[in-house]
Amino acid sequence: MYASSYNNSLVLCSLFVAILAAYTALNVSARIATAQRRVVGLWLAGGAFAMGVGTWSMHFTGMLAFHLPVPVGYDLTITFFSIGISVASSALALWLVSQNKLSRSKLIWGSLLIGTGVSAMHYTGMAAMRMKPGIRYSPSLFTLSILIAFFASGAGLWIAFYLRQCTTKVRLYRLGASVVIGVAILSMDYTGMAAAHFPVGSISGAAKYGVEPGWQAFLVIGVTLAVLSIASIVSLLDMRMESRTSIMAKSLAQANEELTYLALHDNLTKLPNRTLFEGRLSQAIENAEREQLTFSVMFMDLDGYKAVNDIFGHHVGDLLLIEVADRIRKRIRPEDTIARVGGDEFLLLMSEGDPEQAANIAHELVAAIGEPFDIEGDELRVSLSIGLAMYPSDGTTQHELLRNADAAMYHVKTQGRNAYHFFERSMNANVHEQLQLLHDLRLAIAHQEFILHYQPKFDVSDQSVIGAEALLRWMHPRRGMISPDDFIPLAEKTGLIVPIGEWVLNEACRQMAEWRQAGHSTWTMAVNLSSLQFDNIGLVETVRKTLERHSLDPSHLILEVTESTAMHDLEASMRILRQLADMGVHISIDDFGRGYSSLLYLKRLPANELKIDRGFVHDLVQDSGDAAIVSAIVSLGQKLNLKIVAEGVETLAQQEFLIHLGCNSLQGFLLGRPMPADMFLETVAVGACPSGVV
Ligand code: C2E
Ligand code: CA
Ligand code: CA
């Protein structure tokens, strides 16, 4: 046998080429896994070429490092054939790695095929020397080289598959893996070479007509350079694209997540919104239908929230809502959905199908919200009204369930609030009634269905009538007389209160002018203003024109605004009230004591009169607390130079008490009920009130 030797620097060179080829392959396989469908083919072809040529050139460099004492050449056709095998098995490897799943059988078959490919490339490459007589292979080393080829291919496939994902340290892992794969393939190659024995006297049949040794070095260096440059270009592009796509993908995913969250949640309380709620509700319905389950839906609305918002401003109102949401959240189970669906409206979807359990939770919620809230040092009180609808007894569709829970909630509102109630069939009539009422209300002015009643006000000192408060009545063609409490909220909700209010102002002024002409020149006329009218920019102009129209002195008109209306947006209120006061119109603060306003604010309002809320007057005699409040209001009013009016005087005892406390004027059923204008004149003018005792 010939003694063979290795050129060490070429061995190193072949190791370097092997690692580079493996590294390229790993990079390319990652690209294939994440590339778009239409470029997958391109990546696959380019990758297979680079990897195939790389592996082959590793093998060829190894052959060049191997030194025989006779001249050696390589048959070109066989050499190209071995390159072809290398490229084909590389293509197979890349294709396998780019699949979604690498099953065990695919891994085994893949390793066998690729291992065969690598071995075939190696031994075909050896055959390109066309040794005569033929190379003798040692069976054990030959088998070992084939086994190494299988295992190296398997390990390579497996590593490449798991390193496809772009994680943060992937570049480092890839480099490590390339070394492992490179060394494995190289050891296969050198084991294969070690298996080859060349009998003394054998010659290379390709030495004369094959590729010259000078060529060999040139070719290998060229190919190695090609692989190198392809590898670096690929990995450079890859690196850039990978990081760019991963950054983009990450920020896209994040933006998507945020958008989805925003689209499905309420910004303020972070509770789910109506869209999310309705999604869950329809899921619950489907589920209940399939599995014959029951569940409940609650419609909740805060009582008194508007007043808090009006008096303390939106900032405090917002904080209150957050606290309310918190209290509710703490009392429901994680599987239930609570959503904020309007200003102070919430919906609760409860998987609880037992009415008794649902009632317990509703009860707990009402109690929890009824407890005072401490918002930035202010103690605030609101309450909760809940309507309950059960699936399937109160509805089987989303629309039905929500409508009926709403109707039940509305029922609670009309029954005094701060409670819960289950839906009952009769409640739906209420909703229809409201709709009908709204329809009629729109036509009421045109049909001249409104009239004013007048309630007399009396001076405490000389018991004379000092004027009247105009109170609106709706003479409904079918239902008869409707009191303002029953339609003004509806008129306010729909904005109809503005034209209705203008009608009231005009009619009251017209009446006042008539009475003045009849000789009652000292009387004043009080007209109620709703907060919506107060917010209307045309108010001051409307008042001025109306007074002019009836040639009425402004001092004969008193405008009553409730405490909460006046305190809402204090600066704006002051501006409007100041304009009215400058005109000479008198201002009365109605329902005083019911709201939360700080008495200090009162000083800044250009008001002439305070009307103590009739709620305090009602319990005055029995309740010492109310007496203390009235007494405080009276003394404060006196200090601020305001006239104090007590309304809702129903008993002699109340009358005496109020006179004793120092009120300036009185108004109430005891002294005179609201009545039509002609009756007012008849009874009051002759000094004989229907129940007058003054
Ligand atoms: P308000 O301004 O506090 O008017 C006084 C209400 O107390 C009137 O009810 C009157 O009938 C009632 N009242 C008077 N004396 C007594 C009494 O001794 N005992 C009891 N229990 N009640 C008494 P009414 O007329 O039903 O009006 C209710 C509310 O409707 C008014 O409360 C006012 O806020 C509003 N309102 C009435 N007319 C108008 C109007 O033209 N425009 C606006 N915006 N609101 C109006
Ligand atoms: Ca009033
Ligand atoms: Ca009042």
Side-chain angles (χ1 to χ4, degrees):
M1 294 292 151
Y2 281 141
S4 56
S5 63
Y6 286 97
N7 175 333
N8 284 344
S9 47
L10 277 179
V11 170
L12 258 183
C13 195
S14 70
L15 176 66
F16 178 67
V17 172
I19 293 173
L20 206 56
Y23 186 68
T24 315
L26 291 182
N27 271 334
V28 171
S29 52
R31 287 301 317 137
I32 293 175
T34 52
Q36 287 176 337
R37 191 179 285 270
R38 55 193 170 82
V39 289
V40 163
L42 275 178
W43 275 110
L44 203 71
F49 179 75
M51 187 178 158
V53 169
T55 323
W56 176 84
S57 95
M58 172 273 301
H59 151 80
F60 200 72
T61 319
M63 301 247 288
L64 289 181
F66 181 73
H67 190 74
L68 278 181
V70 287
V72 172
Y74 297 95
D75 182 297
L76 212 56
T77 320
I78 303 180
T79 300
F80 274 118
F81 187 58
S82 75
I83 296 181
I85 295 174
S86 178
V87 171
S89 57
S90 301
L92 175 68
L94 286 178
W95 179 79
L96 274 174
V97 170
S98 70
Q99 299 304 295
N100 284 338
K101 261 174 45 189
L102 183 65
S103 62
R104 184 187 291 242
S105 63
K106 249 188 205 161
L107 181 67
I108 293 172
W109 277 109
S111 333
L112 286 178
L113 277 170
I114 296 162
T116 311
V118 172
S119 319
M121 181 240 351
H122 172 85
Y123 288 104
T124 321
M126 295 286 272
M129 287 195 266
R130 308 200 73 173
M131 293 306 286
K132 279 180 200 145
I135 307 172
R136 278 204 224 136
Y137 287 103
S138 125
S140 53
L141 281 176
F142 175 79
T143 319
L144 183 64
S145 79
I146 305 262
L147 282 178
I148 293 178
F150 289 157
F151 284 110
S153 310
L157 271 182
W158 190 83
I159 292 174
F161 186 79
Y162 285 99
L163 284 183
R164 297 183 319 172
Q165 285 91 356
C166 300
T167 54
T168 39
K169 284 194 185 148
V170 77
R171 214 161 293 287
L172 208 68
Y173 290 149
R174 243 178 237 165
L175 208 64
S178 318
V179 174
V180 173
I181 298 172
V183 169
I185 296 180
L186 200 78
S187 47
M188 178 267 145
D189 212 67
Y190 284 97
T191 316
M193 307 245 280
H197 297 294
F198 302 88
V200 176
S202 50
I203 50 155
S204 163
K208 288 188 210 95
Y209 57 91
V211 184
E212 309 265 314
W215 260 93
Q216 293 162 10
F218 177 72
L219 202 71
V220 169
I221 287 167
V223 169
T224 312
L225 273 180
V227 172
L228 234 163
S229 48
I230 289 172
S232 47
I233 288 169
V234 166
S235 61
L236 203 80
L237 287 179
D238 179 48
M239 200 179 350
R240 278 218 204 124
M241 251 160 100
E242 196 176 274
S243 63
R244 212 179 294 160
T245 9
S246 85
I247 289 170
M248 257 168 61
K250 215 182 274 171
S251 65
L252 241 167
Q254 210 173 342
N256 232 338
E257 214 167 275
E258 267 165 37
L259 269 177
T260 319
Y261 185 87
L262 280 181
L264 296 178
H265 288 82
D266 163 45
N267 223 356
L268 180 68
T269 58
K270 307 290 176 241
L271 292 181
N273 64 11
R274 185 182 283 276
T275 315
L276 183 53
F277 183 86
E278 288 181 347
R280 300 239 172 113
L281 180 56
S282 68
Q283 259 173 24
I285 293 176
E286 267 177 36
N287 205 25
E289 234 169 26
R290 207 176 33 240
E291 319 222 337
Q292 306 279 304
L293 299 172
T294 56
F295 64 85
S296 49
V297 173
M298 291 192 201
F299 201 113
M300 311 188 217
D301 191 289
L302 290 182
D303 315 314
Y305 175 70
K306 189 173 174 300
V308 172
N309 228 355
D310 285 354
I311 294 163
F312 292 93
H314 291 290
H315 171 63
V316 170
D318 285 355
L319 293 178
L320 177 66
L321 281 177
I322 294 173
E323 292 278 317
V324 166
D326 249 24
R327 283 194 193 174
I328 300 178
R329 209 186 273 131
K330 280 194 192 121
R331 280 163 185 83
I332 60 169
R333 295 161 307 178
E335 62 267 32
D336 299 337
T337 302
I338 173 76
R340 178 174 171 229
V341 293
D344 57 353
E345 290 176 345
F346 299 86
L347 279 172
L348 176 61
L349 170 65
M350 276 206 317
S351 46
E352 186 52 69
D354 174 21
E356 207 170 306
Q357 283 293 334
N360 280 343
I361 293 181
H363 178 80
E364 240 178 68
L365 289 173
V366 170
I369 302 303
E371 292 291 315
F373 289 85
D374 178 4
I375 308 282
E376 293 192 334
D378 282 313
E379 189 187 278
L380 303 182
R381 279 176 184 277
V382 284
S383 57
L384 190 65
S385 297
I386 305 183
L388 279 131
M390 308 293 295
Y391 175 95
S393 52
D394 299 333
T396 50
T397 65
Q398 186 164 309
H399 176 73
E400 244 181 329
L401 282 167
L402 291 181
R403 191 192 59 198
N404 291 344
D406 188 13
M409 193 278 294
Y410 191 79
H411 175 81
V412 175
K413 290 263 183 199
T414 59
Q415 297 295 304
R417 313 166 168 193
N418 191 27
Y420 68 88
H421 209 293
F422 283 93
F423 171 73
E424 286 163 15
R425 291 282 147 208
S426 61
M427 290 171 184
N428 255 336
N430 266 337
V431 176
H432 292 144
E433 221 169 79
Q434 286 290 309
L435 283 175
Q436 183 64 44
L437 203 65
L438 177 60
H439 172 260
D440 296 347
L441 190 59
R442 289 190 200 283
L443 302 171
I445 294 186
H447 291 181
Q448 300 184 334
E449 288 166 8
F450 289 125
I451 61 160
L452 291 182
H453 278 187
Y454 301 92
Q455 187 177 31
K457 279 160 96 176
F458 294 87
D459 186 67
V460 167
S461 58
D462 62 1
Q463 298 156 14
S464 60
V465 171
I466 51 170
E469 176 177 2
L471 294 161
L472 183 60
R473 303 289 179 261
W474 180 9
M475 307 308 278
H476 193 279
R478 272 172 289 115
R479 301 185 192 200
M481 195 175 82
I482 304 182
S483 88
D485 281 335
D486 291 335
F487 68 84
I488 286 201
L490 192 62
E492 285 180 331
K493 230 195 235 171
T494 52
L496 282 172
I497 192 66
V498 174
I500 294 176
E502 279 176 17
W503 180 88
V504 171
L505 184 68
N506 184 62
E507 177 57 17
C509 288
R510 191 200 60 74
Q511 188 59 60
M512 190 62 231
E514 198 182 298
W515 282 342
R516 272 181 63 80
Q517 273 174 0
H520 302 288
S521 54
T522 55
W523 286 1
T524 54
M525 177 64 80
V527 171
N528 291 288
L529 282 186
S530 115
S531 64
L532 216 74
Q533 280 171 283
F534 201 66
D535 286 343
N536 199 319
I537 36 164
L539 177 70
V540 178
E541 240 351 81
T542 307
V543 172
R544 189 196 311 279
K545 280 193 187 137
T546 311
L547 288 170
E548 269 170 22
R549 191 178 309 130
H550 301 288
S551 316
L552 212 57
D553 190 87
S555 63
H556 288 108
L557 179 65
I558 301 180
L559 292 176
E560 294 194 1
V561 284
T562 63
E563 182 193 355
S564 63
T565 302
M567 295 302 167
H568 165 59
D569 195 355
L570 196 62
E571 296 305 314
S573 298
M574 284 204 307
R575 217 175 30 248
I576 297 170
L577 290 178
R578 167 70 37 218
Q579 279 176 298
L580 290 168
D582 285 350
M583 202 194 296
V585 173
H586 285 195
I587 309 292
S588 176
I589 307 295
D590 204 355
D591 298 348
F592 191 77
R594 199 192 284 187
Y596 293 90
S597 55
S598 153
L599 297 175
L600 287 175
Y601 288 151
L602 205 59
K603 242 174 36 188
R604 302 172 58 193
L605 291 176
N608 311 77
E609 189 180 277
L610 274 191
K611 277 185 107 169
I612 301 170
D613 185 52
R614 57 182 189 274
F616 294 110
V617 175
H618 189 258
D619 298 327
L620 195 59
V621 186
Q622 299 86 12
D623 189 332
S624 58
D626 280 357
I629 291 175
V630 174
S631 162
I633 295 177
V634 172
S635 60
L636 174 93
Q638 283 165 346
K639 276 201 199 88
L640 295 179
N641 235 348
L642 296 170
K643 271 181 68 187
I644 310 292
V645 184
E647 62 175 347
V649 186
E650 290 179 350
T651 66
L652 274 171
Q654 288 169 348
Q655 180 185 357
E656 273 164 21
F657 209 108
L658 290 162
I659 294 175
H660 167 75
L661 284 177
C663 291
N664 302 99
S665 21
L666 303 179
Q667 184 184 347
F669 289 171
L670 176 72
L671 312 165
R673 286 182 176 264
M675 55 194 126
D678 45 356
M679 194 168 155
F680 186 92
L681 212 51
E682 268 169 36
T683 50
V684 173
V686 293
C689 293
S691 51
V693 198
V694 176

